[in-house]
Amino acid sequence: MPEHRNARWYLNYVLPVAALLCSAGAQSKTVSFEADVQPILMQHCVMCHIPGAAQGDHSLYPDAWESMVNVPSVQSALLLVEPGRPAASYSYLKLTGGHLAAGGKGEVMPSPQTPLAEVEIDTIREWIKQGAEKN
């Protein structure tokens, strides 16, 4: 096989497969509640979800994990966070705008003035998908 055909084969077949494998490995990183999710909640959510100012009758204080995981939503028939099922977790749906279709109400969280970055939403989705561990 001529050398330029080897290079073309490498560019067309080997590199795309290698890139796919690398991106799959990056997405399978274990997401930690304490290191990855809790800082997002502290920056964007806790100021409204504290006792006395709890939006949606929901406080994240003093233990955000305990107040979210396997806890029924007051706005929907869903759990706030159902381990392993982001699309069935009301908190995730509130972040992505799917809450109304799940029987919820109100606006997307957090407020439009302080939206989460896509990477933050992806982090929360992956944490729920991985079982919403208290790690």
Side-chain angles (χ1 to χ4, degrees):
M1 187 181 299
E3 189 172 322
H4 71 281
R5 291 192 75 198
N6 284 339
R8 187 175 303 138
W9 179 82
Y10 182 79
L11 290 172
N12 289 336
Y13 299 103
V14 174
L15 284 180
V17 169
L20 181 64
L21 291 174
C22 288
S23 67
Q27 292 174 352
S28 65
K29 170 195 171 256
T30 298
V31 178
S32 163
F33 178 78
E34 203 169 287
D36 302 315
V37 176
Q38 193 161 10
I40 296 169
L41 299 176
M42 294 301 290
Q43 181 178 358
H44 296 281
C45 309
V46 169
M47 69 281 279
C48 294
H49 292 280
I50 58 172
Q55 297 294 314
D57 297 321
H58 183 72
S59 175
L60 294 173
Y61 184 82
D63 187 330
W65 187 89
E66 288 285 336
S67 70
M68 292 172 36
V69 178
N70 292 314
V71 173
S73 168
V74 297
Q75 297 182 357
S76 169
L78 300 176
L79 296 176
L80 291 173
V81 172
E82 183 172 336
R85 300 186 62 208
S89 297
Y90 188 71
S91 294
Y92 177 74
L93 296 176
K94 281 288 278 190
L95 297 175
T96 61
H99 62 292
L100 298 176
K105 59 184 178 181
E107 300 294 322
V108 173
M109 294 185 316
S111 74
Q113 292 80 21
T114 59
L116 291 183
E118 258 329 289
V119 67
E120 292 170 317
I121 293 172
D122 291 345
T123 297
I124 292 169
R125 182 188 68 244
E126 190 62 26
W127 170 69
I128 295 170
K129 185 178 165 186
Q130 291 177 8
E133 297 292 323
K134 189 175 186 179
N135 54 0

